[in-house]
Amino acid sequence: MRILLLTFVFIFTLQASSQALTLKEIEGAVMCMCPDNCGKVLINCSCKYSDEYRHTFAEQIKQGMNKKAILQSWINKYGEKGLSAPIKEGFNLTAWIVPFLALFLAGGLVFTLIRKWNKKALNNSESMTEPEQKNLSKEDQDILKKIKNDLNDLDT
Amino acid sequence: MTYIGQLSLQLSFVVTIYALVCYYLGAKNEKYQLIKSADTAVFILLGLMLLTSTALIYAFFNNDYSIEYVYNYSNRDLAPFYKFSAFWAGQKGSLLLWALLLSLFGVIVLLQNRHKNRILLPVVMKVILGVTLFFISTMLFSTNPFEKMMGGVIPEDGHGLNPMLQNPGMVIHPPTLYIGYVGMTVPFAFAIAALIKEQLGDIWIRSTRRWTLFSWMFLTLGNLFGAQWAYVELGWGGYWAWDPVENASFMPWLVATAYLHSVMIQEKKDMLKVWNMSLIILTFSLTIFGTFITRSGLIQSVHSFDETTLGYYFLAFLAFIMIASFGLVIKRFPALKSKNSLDSIVSRESSFLLNNLLLLGIAFATLWGTLFPIISEAVRGIKITVGPPFFNQVNVPIGLALLLLAAICPLIAWRKATVKNIQKNFLIPFIFMVIGGGALVVLLPTFDVFAWLAFSFSIFLTVTIVIEFYKGANVRAKQSGKNILNSFFSLINRNKRRYGGYIVHLGVVCCFVGIAGSSSYSTEKTEMLKEGEEMNIRNYTLQFEKIDYVKENETKEVITAKLNLFKDGKVLRQMKPEKQFFNKQQPVTDVDIYQTIFEDVYVIFSSYSDDLKTGTFKVFVNPLTAWLWIGGWIMALGTIIAILPDKLESSGLAKRYNRKL
C-alpha cells in the first residue's frame, strides 16, 4: 500500500514538474500589442517590440507569478483584446460552446432525417410482397426490373 | 494608355448592361438575334477587360506615377516580375483581376454551351454578367485603378511594393485563390438558372461538375500557396495563423468540399436538392463575404486593405445575393423536395451526410470565431481577439472526426451496409491502425493525443485506399491478363472520378500528417552567436561564419548571415537567412529553410550587432512540414484526374438516359 501511495506521489510530482509554466505557454496566450498593430500572437511575432514583451514575461515567470496572474496583468494593461483567445467565463463562454452546440443540434437533425427517410424506404418496400410482384403485368415487371438495374448501377 | 484603360473600363460597364438587357429581352420575347448580340457583347467585354488590364500593367512597367495605384504599389527599382504582380497587390487591381477572370469564364461558359443548355444559358449569363457588373461598378464609382494622384502631382518615384509581397509565393497565391473564388460563380449561376427555369434535376450539377472541381482545386492550391508564403516570408516558423482573411478563404473551401460530396447523392438518388442548392449559394456567398472582410476593415487582419467604404458595397451585394437566392430556393421548395428515401441508416449516403455535417461544423466554428470579436463588442462593448488557440481547440477534434469518417466512408456500401460487409471491409485497415497506433506510442518522442489520433486515422485511411486500388487492379489484371501495374493505371483511366477522388483523399492524409507532425513536434531554440561559434538543436549543428552587407540598389539593402549546417558532424549546406531593408518600408526577415521529407531546419536571422560580428538566430526544427505541401499537390493531381473525361461515367450516363427514354 505504501509503495502504491509513493508511486502516486512520484507520478504526481513528475506531472507537476512537467506542468511548470513556460514562456512558450504565455507567448501562445497573448497577442503582440506593439504600436505597429501587427496583429500576431506573440509566439508568432518577430517584430522589434516582441522581444521586449518576452523579456517581461520571462521576468514575471522568474518572480514566481502563475499563468493567471501574468495574463491578468496583461489584461489590465491592454484589455481582453491582448489575449489570443476569449477567456472561458461569462459571455465569452458562448464563443466556446456555440460551435459544439450547433454541431450537436445539427447532428440530431441529420439523424432524425436519416431515420425518417429510412422509415419511408421500409414502408415502401413492405408495401409490395414477392407474390404481388409476380401478379404484375409483363410491362410493370419490366419496369421493376429496370428500376432494380438502375439501383444496381448506383453501386458501380 | 491610362486614358485607354479608363475608357475601356467605362465601355465595359456599358457593354455589360447592354448584354444583360439583350439576354433579358431575347429570352423573354424569344428573339434569337438579341441573344446572339448579347453573346457577341460577352466576347467584347472580355476584350475590354483585357485592354483595361493591359493598360494598368503598362502603367506599372512605364513607371507612370501619375496613377495613384501605381505610385502606391511600385517603384523604379522593383524587379519586372514584381511589377507584373503589383497589378493585384492592392484592392483596386484585385477587383480588376476578379472582373477580368469572370469575363474570361463567361466566354468559356458560352463556348462550352454552344449546343447545349440553351434554356439555362441566358439566365446563367445574366448571373455571371450581373456579378461582373458589380465589380466593374465598384471600380468605376468607388475605387478606380486609374485614379490620378491628388493635386495632379507626379512623383519622381513610387512608394514601392510591400517587401513582404516581393516573394514568388505572393505572385502565385492571389491569382490562384481568385481563380477558385471566381470559378465558383459558374456553378452558382447554373444553380440560380436551374431555380428560375425550374430545371431542378441533376443537369445543372452535371454541367458544372468540372467547373466546381476546377474551382475547388484552385481554392485548395490558393490556400496552400498562402500557407507556403506565410511559412517562408512571415518568419515565425508556422504557416497558418487563423487570421480572418485566411479563414475567409478556408470557409468557401470547406463548404465547396461538402457540396462536392453531397452532389453525389443527388446524382445517384435524386435527393438533397435543397441542400445542394443551399451549399452552392453558401459557397459563392462566402467568396463575397471573404472579399467583404478584406475590404471593410471591420476585423483586424494582416491582410486588410484598410479601406472602409468599399466593404459596405460588398455587404449590400452579399445581402442581395443571399436574400434573392434563398428566396428562390424557398419558392421552389415543393419541387425540390425529394420523393426518394434512404434504404438503410448505415450506408454510404448516411456517411456522406455526416461528412457534410462535420465540414459545415468546421466552417461554422471558423465563421463564429471570425465574427465573435464583433459580437462581443456589440453585446459587451469590449473588443476581444479570437486567435489560433480558439480555432485549434475547436476545429482539431472536428477535423479528426472528419479524417476518421473519410477512412470509414469507402468501406460502407451504397444503399445498405450489412454487418457482414462492414466486418469484412473494416478488418484489415483496423488491424493496421491498431498495430501502427501501438507502434507510434513507443516511437513518438512525446505522446500528444491529437497527433497520435491523426497519425493512426491516417494509417486507417491509407490502408483503406490502398486496398480499394489493389482490389480493383487485381480484378482488372485477372480480366485482361495484364500485369498489376498496367491494370492499376487502366483502373484509374476507366473510372477517373472515383479513383481521382481516392487520390485526393491520399493528399488529405499527407496534409494531416504534415500538420500533426509540424504543430506537435516542433523544436525551437534562440541563441546569440559570435563569429565561429556554434549552436545545437536536436542532431543539427549551426556554425556562424559571418555577416555580409550588400546594397543591391538605391532602395534595397540586404544583410545576410552565413551559417554552416551540420547533421551528426556531416556538413549539409550553408544557410543564408537575411534581413532586407527597403526605403520607406518596414524591414523584412527572409528565412532560410533546409527541407527534407522528414523535417525542416528553419533559420531566422533575428538581430545583429552594429559591427556585424554577432548575430541572434532563432532556429526551428519542424518535422514533416514537407508532407503538407506534397499533400496539397497530390490533392491537385487527384482533382485533375477526376476532371478528365471519363468513359465509364459517359457510358453509365448514356445507359441511364437510354433507359429513361
Side-chain angles (χ1 to χ4, degrees), chain B residues 259-567:
Chain B
Y259 169 79
L260 280 172
H261 286 87
S262 69
V263 285
M264 282 189 245
I265 301 180
Q266 183 169 344
E267 287 175 59
K268 285 183 183 289
K269 298 219 67 165
D270 201 28
M271 292 176 77
L272 301 183
K273 287 179 183 173
V274 176
W275 183 240
N276 288 328
M277 283 288 179
S278 305
L279 284 182
I280 200 64
I281 292 167
L282 214 54
T283 304
F284 178 69
S285 303
L286 283 169
T287 64
I288 300 296
F289 176 75
T291 321
F292 160 65
I293 281 190
T294 331
R295 270 90 192 165
S296 64
L298 199 65
I299 298 164
Q300 192 192 341
S301 157
V302 285
H303 293 74
S304 297
F305 286 117
D306 289 333
E307 285 187 36
T308 52
T309 49
L310 191 66
Y312 298 102
Y313 288 94
F314 274 90
L315 190 61
F317 186 54
L318 179 66
F320 170 74
I321 288 166
M322 294 196 76
I323 292 168
S325 308
F326 283 113
L328 266 172
V329 173
I330 292 166
K331 196 178 168 191
R332 299 281 183 247
F333 191 76
L336 286 166
K337 248 178 117 177
S338 174
K339 289 167 192 70
N340 291 336
S341 51
L342 288 181
D343 295 323
S344 166
I345 291 178
V346 186
S347 64
R348 181 83 64 93
E349 288 90 328
S350 307
S351 70
F352 271 29
L353 282 175
L354 204 56
N355 145 300
N356 267 233
L357 176 74
L358 294 174
L359 281 164
L360 286 214
I362 301 174
F364 175 74
T366 309
L367 179 69
W368 176 250
T370 309
L371 294 179
F372 196 77
I374 306 166
I375 298 169
S376 167
E377 199 173 10
V379 175
R380 297 167 65 212
I382 296 170
K383 200 156 190 173
I384 61 158
T385 309
V386 180
F390 170 85
F391 293 103
N392 290 335
Q393 282 182 52
V394 174
N395 284 342
V396 168
I398 311 175
L400 286 173
L402 191 65
L403 181 65
L404 180 64
L405 190 69
I408 293 170
C409 207
L411 302 173
I412 304 174
W414 285 102
R415 291 171 57 204
K416 192 173 184 174
T418 61
V419 178
K420 201 179 159 192
N421 155 266
I422 290 173
Q423 276 176 346
K424 191 183 143 201
N425 292 345
F426 271 63
L427 189 66
I428 298 173
F430 187 73
I431 290 171
F432 269 92
M433 185 179 75
V434 170
I435 296 171
L440 283 171
V441 173
V442 182
L443 292 173
L444 289 174
T446 52
F447 186 75
D448 180 299
V449 69
F450 288 126
W452 177 73
L453 285 173
F455 292 138
S456 303
F457 294 164
S458 296
I459 294 171
F460 195 125
L461 177 50
T462 309
V463 175
T464 305
I465 294 170
V466 169
I467 289 174
E468 281 288 317
F469 274 107
Y470 177 74
K471 273 184 185 169
N474 208 26
V475 169
R476 279 206 67 75
K478 277 178 188 162
Q479 279 174 348
S480 61
K482 288 178 184 167
N483 65 36
I484 193 105
L485 195 70
N486 261 333
S487 308
F488 169 78
F489 288 113
S490 106
L491 179 80
I492 296 173
N493 193 36
R494 264 184 69 83
N495 195 344
K496 296 188 187 79
R497 187 175 176 183
R498 180 177 181 170
Y499 292 100
Y502 284 147
I503 293 170
V504 171
H505 283 187
L506 277 179
V508 173
V509 167
C510 289
C511 289
F512 266 92
V513 168
I515 293 165
S518 57
S519 54
S520 300
Y521 297 103
S522 173
T523 312
E524 172 197 336
K525 202 171 186 185
T526 306
E527 269 190 39
M528 195 167 81
L529 301 175
K530 285 181 185 158
E531 282 183 0
E533 282 186 341
E534 292 177 350
M535 68 182 281
N536 295 309
I537 181 164
R538 290 208 184 157
N539 47 350
Y540 293 97
T541 303
L542 276 152
Q543 184 196 49
F544 173 43
E545 197 180 294
K546 61 171 179 169
I547 293 174
D548 284 341
Y549 166 83
V550 177
K551 187 172 170 123
E552 280 192 6
N553 53 46
E554 278 309 303
T555 52
K556 187 179 176 185
E557 293 161 82
V558 182
I559 295 179
T560 311
K562 292 183 175 170
L563 300 107
N564 298 313
L565 177 68
F566 300 87
K567 188 181 183 185

Side-chain angles (χ1 to χ4, degrees), chain A residues 1-82:
Chain A
M1 189 66 189
R2 274 184 187 174
I3 295 169
L4 197 68
L5 209 69
L6 276 171
T7 315
F8 273 119
V9 170
F10 180 68
I11 291 170
F12 183 77
T13 320
L14 264 184
Q15 270 196 326
S17 64
S18 69
Q19 280 167 1
L21 184 61
T22 60
L23 178 62
K24 214 171 173 179
E25 236 176 288
I26 302 290
E27 278 183 286
V30 300
M31 300 298 292
C32 177
M33 301 304 287
C34 63
D36 294 345
N37 223 356
C38 70
K40 288 181 189 167
V41 181
L42 186 61
I43 200 165
N44 303 336
C45 190
S46 56
C47 78
K48 58 184 175 184
Y49 303 95
S50 62
D51 282 338
E52 202 181 302
Y53 299 138
R54 284 188 191 100
H55 183 72
T56 311
F57 288 130
E59 281 297 311
Q60 287 176 328
I61 294 170
K62 229 181 199 174
Q63 285 164 17
M65 283 173 78
N66 63 19
K67 187 176 176 181
K68 204 175 172 188
I70 294 174
L71 294 183
Q72 192 54 54
S73 74
W74 191 252
I75 294 172
N76 293 344
K77 204 168 175 186
Y78 298 106
E80 282 181 43
K81 205 182 163 193

Side-chain angles (χ1 to χ4, degrees), chain B residues 599-641:
Chain B
E599 58 195 10
D600 290 5
V601 180
Y602 186 100
V603 184
I604 307 164
F605 185 15
S606 298
S607 59
Y608 54 90
S609 62
D610 291 339
D611 62 359
L612 302 181
K613 298 283 179 200
T614 309
T616 304
F617 303 95
K618 194 172 186 176
V619 184
F620 291 86
V621 176
N622 295 330
L624 304 172
T625 313
W627 285 60
L628 177 60
W629 318 132
I630 294 168
W633 284 110
I634 294 174
M635 284 165 81
L637 174 74
T639 317
I640 290 169
I641 290 171

